[in-house]
Amino acid sequence: MEARYRHRRDKGDVSSLVSEELFKTIFLHKDDSVCPANGFYPYQAFIEATRMFPKFGRTGCLATRKREIAAFLAQISHETTGGWATAPDGPFAWGLCFKEEISPQSNYCDESDQQWPCYPGKSYKGRGPIQLSWNFNYGLAGEALGFDGLRNPEIVAEDSAIAFQTALWFWMTERNPKPSCHDVMVGRYVPTKADIQANRTAGYGLVTNIINGGLECGIPDDARVNDRIGFFKRYAQLFNVDTGPNLDCQNQKSF
């Protein structure tokens, strides 16, 4: 077993790039008592989830691999941040502080989606590292990962392994007309004519567009976008890699 583990690691296992020590440095305060998700996001659950997606953090040169991991961790940090401007160690040391959305504005049920109908009494609010939301995302993620996302969406905030898996599923999955976040960060994004007209250029800003462009992109100096960038800059430095171009999406149209 140990020899097999070493072999997998030698072949580019994400744990070879993200040690437990580095993980703790990135998420300095995730297990503080003031964070509602304290204890819910252990290092091992993250590493095991990455092994379900063999291309994540294992595509391209070493710098590309590090940059993708840093970008993923930065985006999930923004989605779950407990930081504030004068927070201890700065606002970008407080990722993974939440595991479910606080005071959701609705149950996030798109009743027009007949393929993934909402189950009575269930809320599809944001849960997990990527804050998975809406019935169609829960349905698709559950189908891909082997859980009943429509009848049991709560499991994303109850099972650490499934929580990380949903975040990586979202990151790795292309949803036409949106490319996958993975393809963007590893240089496999090929813009369509519509993308070019919408100024959707490759880079971290396009990943933000994929995740929440309808609310955050096309807006000059948006605070939410800047927060995502702040996390990415800190993590890229910890990984000793540059961030690459096009960090924001203020000049991009949303998908």
Side-chain angles (χ1 to χ4, degrees):
M1 181 67 72
E2 180 63 25
R4 185 183 308 166
Y5 175 72
R6 283 200 305 269
H7 175 73
R8 292 177 69 181
R9 212 179 143 119
D10 291 343
K11 289 296 184 180
D13 191 272
V14 169
S15 63
S16 68
L17 299 179
V18 187
S19 66
E20 187 166 8
E21 180 180 2
L22 177 57
F23 192 75
K24 289 179 178 178
T25 300
I26 289 171
F27 299 109
L28 279 173
H29 295 283
K30 73 179 179 67
D31 293 322
D32 286 12
S33 59
V34 297
C35 284
N38 68 84
F40 183 70
Y41 293 113
Y43 169 76
Q44 198 56 41
F46 165 66
I47 293 301
E48 289 299 329
T50 66
R51 291 173 183 154
M52 293 184 64
F53 299 89
K55 293 182 180 180
F56 174 77
R58 305 181 208 181
T59 303
C61 67
L62 181 60
T64 298
R65 293 168 57 204
K66 287 182 174 182
R67 190 177 300 111
E68 181 188 12
I69 297 170
F72 171 78
L73 296 178
Q75 291 287 356
I76 66 172
S77 292
H78 168 80
E79 295 293 335
T80 59
T81 183
W84 64 100
T86 58
D89 301 305
F92 308 121
W94 288 79
L96 297 185
C97 198
F98 291 87
K99 62 179 180 177
E100 57 188 334
E101 184 178 355
I102 305 299
S103 301
Q105 297 180 355
S106 73
N107 64 358
Y108 294 95
C109 172
D110 180 359
E111 295 181 354
S112 69
D113 194 318
Q114 298 301 306
Q115 183 178 3
W116 305 108
C118 304
Y119 196 73
K122 294 298 182 179
S123 171
Y124 302 99
K125 65 180 181 178
R127 296 183 179 93
I130 203 73
Q131 289 290 281
L132 190 76
S133 57
W134 294 101
N135 48 305
F136 46 85
N137 279 323
Y138 275 91
L140 286 165
E143 181 181 62
L145 300 170
F147 69 91
D148 193 336
L150 295 178
R151 296 192 180 207
N152 187 22
E154 299 88 355
I155 196 171
V156 179
E158 296 169 349
D159 187 307
S160 300
I162 289 176
F164 274 118
Q165 289 166 22
T166 61
L168 284 161
W169 166 83
F170 187 94
W171 185 266
M172 299 298 297
T173 302
E174 178 183 354
R175 300 284 296 279
N176 190 43
K178 298 181 180 182
S180 71
C181 300
H182 167 75
D183 281 348
V184 170
M185 290 307 302
V186 302
R188 292 185 174 177
Y189 162 65
V190 179
T192 65
K193 182 178 180 179
D195 291 331
I196 295 170
Q197 292 173 339
N199 198 36
R200 292 193 284 260
T201 51
Y204 186 73
L206 184 56
V207 171
T208 297
N209 198 335
I210 293 168
I211 294 173
N212 206 28
L215 295 177
E216 299 180 20
C217 294
I219 305 171
D221 200 31
D222 185 81
R224 297 160 296 185
V225 173
N226 290 340
D227 191 67
R228 295 178 191 272
I229 294 171
F231 277 111
F232 187 36
K233 286 182 175 178
R234 176 174 179 255
Y235 297 172
Q237 187 174 29
L238 288 172
F239 277 96
N240 193 29
V241 68
D242 66 88
T243 60
N246 304 318
L247 291 180
D248 65 60
C249 59
Q250 67 177 4
N251 295 317
Q252 298 180 22
K253 291 183 180 179
S254 62
F255 286 95

